[in-house]
Amino acid sequence: MTSTLRAVAAAAASAALLFALAACSSDAPAAAPTASETQAVQVLDEACADDAGITVAVDASALEEDSKAWCIETDETLAAADALTLVGVETEGNVEFGDDAVCRVNGVPAEDVAITAEDGSDYFETCEAMSPAFAYWSMWVKPAGGEWGYAQEGISTLELQPGESLELLFTLHGEPAAPTS
């Protein structure tokens, strides 16, 4: 059993325990667990093949950071926030727009790391407002058999279908302009 699958199983068990405890401590009828609480999935450390499952990718190569892709083997719709959680990706929004404007992915770019601006000055990402046009995270979606396009919704509302891909891409001085896979 992979560590990710163990984590998903543990999370499902925790959700079931909390559900049971809540049912015991309340006279009101308990709500049934949601699909995301009960669905067990396997996560592979590679992109999905042949439009099967949901691929999640993070590309921070513009900052000379590692890029990574995962395949969530599922035939169910999955919320983007749940997909990111399943693969262990943490995002941070900004103060101005919340989680709908990604400021950091897995701590990158760190607040204490200088990013050279177009004028040669040092920029430090504080996540107070929208990131500058020369250094920002964008979220992309590719439908099964289709082309990459900017996500039209934020992480909190975006739903992913089997066969789709989601990529968080860091662009620095216009490169890369779009996902390459």
Side-chain angles (χ1 to χ4, degrees):
M1 182 181 290
T2 66
S3 61
T4 303
L5 186 54
R6 274 186 251 129
V8 170
S14 296
L17 178 60
L18 288 173
F19 177 71
L21 290 173
C24 292
S25 65
S26 172
D27 294 334
T34 65
S36 65
E37 291 173 332
T38 59
Q39 180 184 11
V41 296
Q42 184 170 355
V43 176
L44 306 175
D45 287 335
E46 60 190 2
C48 297
D50 301 325
D51 292 329
I54 296 171
T55 295
V56 176
V58 173
D59 183 348
S61 59
L63 292 172
E64 298 181 10
E65 297 280 339
D66 291 335
S67 296
K68 184 81 175 126
W70 301 267
C71 178
I72 302 171
E73 292 186 331
T74 183
D75 58 1
E76 302 286 329
T77 299
L78 193 59
D82 290 342
L84 292 168
T85 298
L86 282 170
V87 301
V89 170
E90 294 181 16
T91 62
E92 182 180 338
N94 66 40
V95 173
E96 187 176 2
F97 295 102
D99 292 336
D100 288 333
V102 176
C103 172
R104 263 187 257 294
V105 176
N106 292 336
V108 174
E111 187 172 353
D112 61 351
V113 172
I115 299 172
T116 304
E118 292 167 329
D119 65 2
S121 65
D122 286 341
Y123 170 78
F124 295 90
E125 182 57 77
T126 63
C127 296
E128 293 295 319
M130 188 64 81
S131 298
F134 71 88
Y136 63 94
W137 283 101
S138 57
M139 190 166 68
W140 296 77
V141 177
K142 181 170 94 172
E147 299 292 322
W148 286 106
Y150 273 113
Q152 299 301 304
E153 298 181 53
I155 290 172
S156 62
T157 59
L158 179 64
E159 297 281 323
L160 301 168
Q161 303 294 322
E164 289 186 324
S165 296
L166 171 72
E167 182 164 320
L168 295 171
L169 174 70
F170 193 86
T171 299
L172 182 59
H173 303 294
E175 296 297 327
T180 57
S181 58

